[in-house]
């Protein structure tokens, strides 16, 4: 019966050809997106690690949030954003903050704003994942197209894999052999297939949905884009003559009566400082994958309605589930760890795929050290640019690209591939150690408390693993 | 509490299903193998159903698939440690050092360029137009049809990319995609 599902050898050859073509074309960018995505799963933890001195608490008073909003308006009278965002403390980010127009402040327990929110290292990681550090309108589209190409790689990989059932549990030994690389590539990809497909599809959504929505606007909505947006994201309430004073506390108190089982995660003041302003509270329903239900209130805190995502059509819920599904921000922190491991598996699949192709060529040229430089230079550049940022406040994104390009340039002049790989691995391990050490030196006790302790221990663990891998490489040379 | 218990049972059942799959994989008899495979997948299916009972359909499906992936990887490692014969450690094969053939690379640039045009703008345009056109004909709420199109987009686009990159004669998929684009665009915008 199984034989019926095995593709013919001609189709397998064609699929392998397709798989190799796509893989080679996108390998470097795909690797950057995969490795940064693996780290981006923990972006909230990294944000907390970057500013360990900020007080954390899950408890807040509605009045404190309202005061913070007033303070924010006083501090930044120039703000002209159409919405001001207040993030409420949650389990994974137990810090209340308020932000608009690139200004972000943490909210103290008395509602005052004393510490600015700055997380350049986290932004370097998330920015690479979301838009490859390009302007968002271009970068997000490119990353989403990578999602499409990942889908294509999954399809062609499946079609190329004639022994998918025969090899289901095969992981042959040997070290760095072609067989082991192939087995590793195939076992990780076959068993992780549902996850990888989900990541590819949801990843493609972020930058491409708007383009297909443009076609639906013509085909289904007769060029009424407002109606399309209302169907997808809920109609915007029409407010006239809104009260000038925004009563956030009243809205929050009302929400606890309207939806007592929900967890409010953010508040936005829409059309802020205009006579159309209103309050929107995003509250998570613990039994739903959608990011949040949106409860809308007038500026004076009277309940208007809910956008209706929780009870809305399946399509609307599917659209709103994309974010949490892609980043694994649901369930407990344990889910994030699992997502991190699955994301790392995808990164390994990407690297081993190109390693297989390089080995099969039976020759060694410039591409070998350049690929090594990309693979090991990326985490190395992450760590070193983070150190430069922490120590000297240098812009992490620029440091990252200068480091990575410099490392690739160095690779071009390497004659001894194995030695270069070994030293790249050692340097990467050392750079992660240095990063943890720097964080400890700069933040003293705060470095070993709460989430900073977990992140630092995690980084040390990764550094040790990389070091052990370098020892293994060393034995092979 | 009941949910936790169901989740634990689901976890154990999926692991049991995978163990049966592993045993079937080790089994040489063809007849028993087929039965065991069918049974194993049935059990894994049951475990995913149990996950949905424990955590609701949305979270349950996620937990089910994730747990199967991890359990399978554990079994792959176990299998490697216990059954497989490790290949002898050999010195890595010394690869012939060579220079990149820039001339050949430059010569292939037009073909690479055509492939890139075919897999990104052309295949993208064709898949969007086809999906918008086809899902618009389906019954149901507009937002559901739109979401279906959005979710299917990477799959159809990915299939087109697979077709273009695997083709021996590039002209065939490129011309076909161009025709598909023109027809679906005409149906969506002009009719």
């Amino acid at each position: 019966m199984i034989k019926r599902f095995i593709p013919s050898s001609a189709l397998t050859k064609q699929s392998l050809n397709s798989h190799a073509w796509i893989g080679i074309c996108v390998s470097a960018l795909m690797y950057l997106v995969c490795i940064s995505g693996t780290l981006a799963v923990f972006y909230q933890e990294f944000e907390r690690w970057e500013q360990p001195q900020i007080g954390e608490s899950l408890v807040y008073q509605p009045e404190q949030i309202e005061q913070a909003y007033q303070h924010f308006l006083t501090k930044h009278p120039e703000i002209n954003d159409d919405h001001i965002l207040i993030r409420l403390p949650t389990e994974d980010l137990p810090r209340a903050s308020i932000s608009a127009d690139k200004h972000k402040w943490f909210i103290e327990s008395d509602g005052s704003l004393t510490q600015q929110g700055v997380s350049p290292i986290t932004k370097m990681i998330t920015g690479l994942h979301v838009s490859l550090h390009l302007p968002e309108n271009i970068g997000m589209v490119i990353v989403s197209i990578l999602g499409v190409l990942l889908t294509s790689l999954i399809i062609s990989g499946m079609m190329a894999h004639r022994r998918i059932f025969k090899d289901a549990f095969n992981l042959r030994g040997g070290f760095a052999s072609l067989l082991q690389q192939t087995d590793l590539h195939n076992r990780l990809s076959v068993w992780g297939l549902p996850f990888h497909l989900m990541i590819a599809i949801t990843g493609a959504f972020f930058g491409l949905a708007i383009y297909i929505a443009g076609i639906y606007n013509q085909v289904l909505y007769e060029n009424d884009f407002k109606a399309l947006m209302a169907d997808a994201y809920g109609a915007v309430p029409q407010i006239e003559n809104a009260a000038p004073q925004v009563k956030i506390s009243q809205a929050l108190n009302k929400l606890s009566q309207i939806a007592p089982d929900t967890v409010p995660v953010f508040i936005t003041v829409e059309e802020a400082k205009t006579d159309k302003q209103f309050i929107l509270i995003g509250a998570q329903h613990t039994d739903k994958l959608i990011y949040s239900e949106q409860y809308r209130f007038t500026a004076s805190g009277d309940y208007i309605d809910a956008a209706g995502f929780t009870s809305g059509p399946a399509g609307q819920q599917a659209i709103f589930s994309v974010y949490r599904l892609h980043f694994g921000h649901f369930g407990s922190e344990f889910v994030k760890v699992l997502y991190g491991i699955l994301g790392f598996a995808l990164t390994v699949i990407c690297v081993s795929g190109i390693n297989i192709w390089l080995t099969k060529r039976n020759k060694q040229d410039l591409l070998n050290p350049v690929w090594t430089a990309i693979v090991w230079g990326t985490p190395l550049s992450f760590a070193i640019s983070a150190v430069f940022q922490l120590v000297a406040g240098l812009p992490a994104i620029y440091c990252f690209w200068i480091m990575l390009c410099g490392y690739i340039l160095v690779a071009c002049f390497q004659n001894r591939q194995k030695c270069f790989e070994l030293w790249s691995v050692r340097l990467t391990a050392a750079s992660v150690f240095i990063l943890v050490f720097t964080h400890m030196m700069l933040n003293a006790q705060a470095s070993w408390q709460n989430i900073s302790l977990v992140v630092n221990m995690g980084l040390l663990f990764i550094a040790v693993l990389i070091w052990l891998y370098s020892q293994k490489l060393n034995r092979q040379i | 509490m009941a949910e936790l218990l169901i989740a634990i049972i689901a976890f154990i059942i999926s692991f049991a299903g995978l163990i049966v799959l592993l045993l079937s994989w080790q089994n040489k008899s063809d007849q028993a193998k087929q039965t065991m495979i069918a049974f194993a997948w049935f059990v894994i299916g049951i475990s995913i159903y149990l996950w949905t009972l424990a955590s609701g359909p949305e979270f349950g499906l996620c937990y089910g698939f994730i747990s199967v992936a991890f359990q399978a990887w554990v079994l792959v490692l176990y299998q490697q440690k216990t059954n497989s014969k490790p290949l002898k450690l050999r010195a890595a094969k010394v690869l012939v050092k060579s220079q990149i053939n820039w001339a050949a690379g430059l010569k292939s640039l037009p073909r690479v360029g055509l492939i890139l045009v075919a897999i990104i703008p052309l295949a993208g345009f064709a898949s969007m137009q086809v999906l918008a056109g086809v899902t618009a004909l389906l019954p149901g709420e507009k937002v559901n049809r739109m979401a279906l199109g959005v979710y299917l987009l990477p799959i159809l686009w990915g299939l087109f990319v697979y077709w273009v990159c695997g083709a021996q004669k590039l002209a065939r998929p490129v011309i076909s995609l161009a025709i598909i684009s023109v027809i679906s665009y005409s149906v969506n915008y002009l009719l």
Side-chain angles (χ1 to χ4, degrees), chain A residues 1-2 11 14-15 17-18 21-22 25 145 148-149 151-152 155-156 159 165-175 177 179-180 187-188 191-192 194-195 200-202 204-205 208-209 211-212 214-216 218-221 228 231-232 286-290 313-319 321-322 324-325 330-332 335 338-339 341-342 345 359 362-368 415-416 418 476, chain B residues 18-19 21-23 25 30 33-34 37-38 41 44 55-56 58-59 62-63 65-66 68-70 72-73 75-77 79-80 84-93 95-102 111-112 115-116 119-120 125 127-129 131-133 135-137 141-155 157-168 188-189:
Chain A
M1 189 179 76
I2 289 169
L11 185 63
Q14 188 186 350
S15 303
N17 198 18
S18 180
W21 248 105
I22 307 164
C25 286
I145 290 173
V148 170
L149 297 178
T151 314
S152 189
I155 296 167
S156 55
M159 299 301 284
F165 294 104
K166 267 189 178 170
D167 289 345
F169 294 96
N170 240 354
L171 184 62
R172 282 162 289 191
F175 181 67
S177 66
L179 278 178
Q180 196 199 32
R187 292 304 78 72
L188 288 178
W191 288 111
F195 173 81
I201 291 172
T202 50
F205 172 88
L208 294 175
Y211 292 97
I212 193 166
I215 303 173
Y216 278 118
Q218 164 76 28
V219 177
L220 285 177
Y221 291 88
L228 183 149
D231 257 9
T286 47
D287 58 336
K288 294 275 179 191
L289 252 180
I290 57 164
Q316 200 179 39
Q317 295 197 34
I319 290 170
S321 300
V322 169
R324 292 178 85 194
L325 205 50
F330 57 87
S332 64
V335 174
L338 296 180
Y339 258 64
I341 297 171
L342 286 159
T359 313
N362 271 331
K363 63 175 183 178
Q364 208 172 78
D365 55 24
L366 193 63
L367 289 180
N368 297 70
N415 288 323
R416 297 169 66 197
K418 283 286 166 195
Q476 200 207 4
Chain B
L18 283 163
I19 289 173
L21 210 56
L22 175 67
L23 293 174
W25 180 76
D30 213 38
K33 200 173 186 162
Q34 303 301 326
I37 289 173
W41 283 114
I44 291 168
S55 313
E58 297 171 23
F59 295 111
C62 297
Y63 295 149
F65 284 122
I66 289 175
V68 167
F70 277 94
W73 287 339
L75 289 180
V76 168
L77 280 177
Q79 150 70 19
Q80 192 216 10
S84 73
K85 292 173 191 161
L87 300 174
K88 280 181 188 169
L89 276 177
R90 287 179 297 192
K93 191 172 160 187
L95 298 175
V96 181
K97 289 204 173 170
S98 76
Q99 299 291 319
I100 288 182
N101 189 343
W102 295 106
R111 185 180 159 83
V112 175
I115 288 177
L116 282 179
I119 65 173
I120 295 172
F125 185 78
S127 49
M128 283 186 201
Q129 293 293 343
L131 279 172
T135 52
L137 297 173
E141 289 192 56
K142 286 177 185 175
V143 68
N144 288 345
R145 288 183 271 165
M146 196 162 61
L148 182 68
V150 168
Y151 268 84
L152 287 179
L153 174 66
I155 297 174
W157 189 343
L159 278 168
F160 285 157
V161 173
Y162 163 62
W163 184 25
V164 172
C165 291
Q168 281 174 334
N188 288 339
Y189 284 90

Side-chain angles (χ1 to χ4, degrees), chain B residues 36-69:
Chain B
M36 284 168 87
I37 289 173
F39 177 73
W41 283 114
F42 175 74
V43 169
I44 291 168
I46 295 280
S47 80
I48 290 176
Y49 172 70
L50 287 177
W51 274 114
T52 64
L53 286 184
S55 313
E58 297 171 23
F59 295 111
L61 278 176
C62 297
Y63 295 149
F65 284 122
I66 289 175
S67 65
V68 167

Side-chain angles (χ1 to χ4, degrees), chain A residues 244-266:
Chain A
Q245 196 77 3
V246 179
K247 299 274 185 195
I248 293 174
S249 58
Q250 198 159 331
L252 271 171
N253 288 330
K254 284 236 171 88
L255 180 74
S256 58
Q257 295 162 11
I258 297 161
D261 296 331
T262 61
V263 183
V265 287
F266 71 88

